[in-house]
Amino acid sequence: MTGPSHRAKRTGKPESPLLEVKDLHTHFPVKSGVLQLTTGVVKAVDGVSFHLNKGETLGLVGESGCGKTTVGRTLLRLIPATSGSVTFDGTDVFDAGGSTLKRLRRQMQIIFQDPAGSLNPRMRISAIVGEPLKVHNLVSSRDEYRSRVEELLEKCGMPRASADRYPHEFSGGQRQRIGIARALALNPRFIVCDEPTSALDVSIQSQILNLLADLRDELGLSYLFISHDMAVIQHICDRIAVMYQGKIVEAGTRDDVMEHAKHPYTKALLSAVPEPDPRRERTRIVYEGMSM
């Protein structure tokens, strides 16, 4: 991944974490037979704990199927947790209900992996980006609604006129920009970025990463950035948590994990990062149980 990494400057005394996840478990039942009886469980998330500070980007990295997307969706209550706790700015996310939950929904958003599948093909872009504004009653007139949608699109690098078009009229990178604009509609403080560049060409990935970094610094956002790509994680994250088979096996600052990896699985992930210099050879490390 090319291009400089844009990181927010953080000074002053340490603050309480914006997000704190403790001993999170998310299990799915395995059903079989004509009666669909439960015969076992899949431990997609098996005792995960981490924290996220204000204005920080935490990278959650691991191979497909390790449970990282389930972590992101569980803490947003898109998937029910089996056990554990998630605290957002002092509020227990799993116990929240009514107006408290509605407030949390505004502050915690998600950018999905597939920019095409996450946008309703029958809706114009103005309706897609502006729908959260209507649901949460944040605009009082049609003119205010239109103006806010156009501002969001422009902030994400899209022309204002794109509001009148449909998702199929845009490229993958443009559709992801629209998805980002929708996530920003409610002025959130925290966003789960669920592999937001994995479906894009490499040439577009860097543009989207730089956009996300610029928005983070400008708006004071905090990201949980989920990816299987160590090069992407290195580009945008301040800290890294490496996930394997439902557990976090290593965590630390970006430089510590990238330069002084301790766990064999982390070393295997790093060995898979392409080497830009053809004169340098890198030995591929294969960790037992790792999908190839």
Side-chain angles (χ1 to χ4, degrees):
M1 188 62 57
T2 59
S5 177
H6 304 286
R7 304 189 179 280
K9 295 180 179 179
R10 303 174 184 86
T11 58
K13 297 180 180 179
E15 299 181 13
S16 299
L18 178 67
L19 178 76
E20 193 160 10
V21 179
K22 292 184 178 179
D23 199 26
L24 183 65
H25 293 74
T26 305
H27 299 171
F28 299 104
V30 176
K31 298 182 181 293
S32 60
V34 177
L35 299 179
Q36 288 293 286
L37 300 176
T38 300
T39 57
V41 294
V42 174
K43 298 180 179 180
V45 180
D46 193 21
V48 165
S49 300
F50 62 85
H51 72 277
L52 178 69
N53 297 316
K54 296 174 182 177
E56 184 181 43
T57 299
L58 173 65
L60 189 60
V61 62
E63 64 183 335
S64 297
C66 71
K68 55 190 186 297
T69 290
T70 304
V71 169
R73 297 192 179 199
T74 300
L75 63 87
L76 293 177
R77 287 182 57 171
L78 300 179
I79 296 175
T82 302
S83 63
S85 67
V86 175
T87 305
F88 181 82
D89 200 20
T91 301
D92 190 321
V93 174
F94 293 159
D95 284 345
S99 59
T100 302
L101 180 57
K102 188 173 183 178
R103 174 177 58 82
L104 286 175
R105 294 288 190 207
R106 287 181 57 178
Q107 297 184 58
M108 306 169 71
Q109 289 291 304
I110 185 171
I111 300 168
F112 294 99
Q113 177 179 1
D114 181 8
S118 65
L119 305 179
N120 190 328
R122 297 186 177 184
M123 294 174 65
R124 294 183 187 272
I125 302 306
S126 60
I128 291 173
V129 175
E131 187 173 26
L133 300 174
K134 287 186 175 180
V135 171
H136 290 267
N137 299 314
L138 296 181
V139 289
S140 56
S141 67
R142 182 174 297 180
D143 289 343
E144 184 183 3
Y145 173 89
R146 177 72 182 201
S147 176
R148 178 61 178 153
V149 167
E150 291 181 349
E151 287 174 2
L152 287 165
L153 289 170
E154 194 170 52
K155 184 179 288 291
C156 293
M158 295 295 293
R160 288 175 173 254
S162 61
D164 296 318
R165 298 165 66 184
Y166 289 91
H168 74 269
E169 300 179 64
F170 298 95
S171 67
Q174 290 173 322
R175 284 194 289 259
Q176 195 59 289
R177 290 176 184 270
I178 293 165
I180 295 170
R182 176 178 57 186
L184 294 176
L186 300 177
N187 294 316
R189 301 169 62 194
F190 165 67
I191 299 179
V192 174
C193 301
D194 185 11
E195 303 223 32
T197 62
S198 64
L200 306 177
D201 293 339
V202 175
S203 60
I204 305 300
Q205 287 184 9
S206 185
Q207 296 177 22
I208 297 300
L209 289 175
N210 287 336
L211 170 64
L212 288 170
D214 289 343
L215 291 170
R216 176 195 60 193
D217 296 348
E218 178 186 348
L219 303 176
L221 298 170
S222 302
Y223 294 147
L224 175 64
F225 198 99
I226 297 168
S227 180
H228 66 276
D229 190 333
M230 272 291 197
V232 169
I233 289 292
Q234 181 182 16
H235 185 81
I236 193 171
C237 297
D238 301 302
R239 289 188 298 115
I240 299 173
V242 181
M243 195 166 177
Y244 179 67
Q245 293 187 347
K247 300 178 182 290
I248 291 178
V249 296
E250 184 166 357
T253 66
R254 179 194 59 170
D255 292 341
D256 284 345
V257 173
M258 297 299 295
E259 298 174 12
H260 308 290
K262 296 179 177 62
H263 197 276
Y265 179 68
T266 307
K267 295 177 181 179
L269 287 178
L270 290 171
S271 73
V273 177
E275 173 56 60
D277 187 348
R279 295 169 297 182
R280 294 181 59 183
E281 294 185 3
R282 173 176 289 174
T283 302
R284 181 68 188 274
I285 300 173
V286 179
Y287 185 64
E288 184 178 355
M290 195 174 175
S291 61
M292 299 298 294

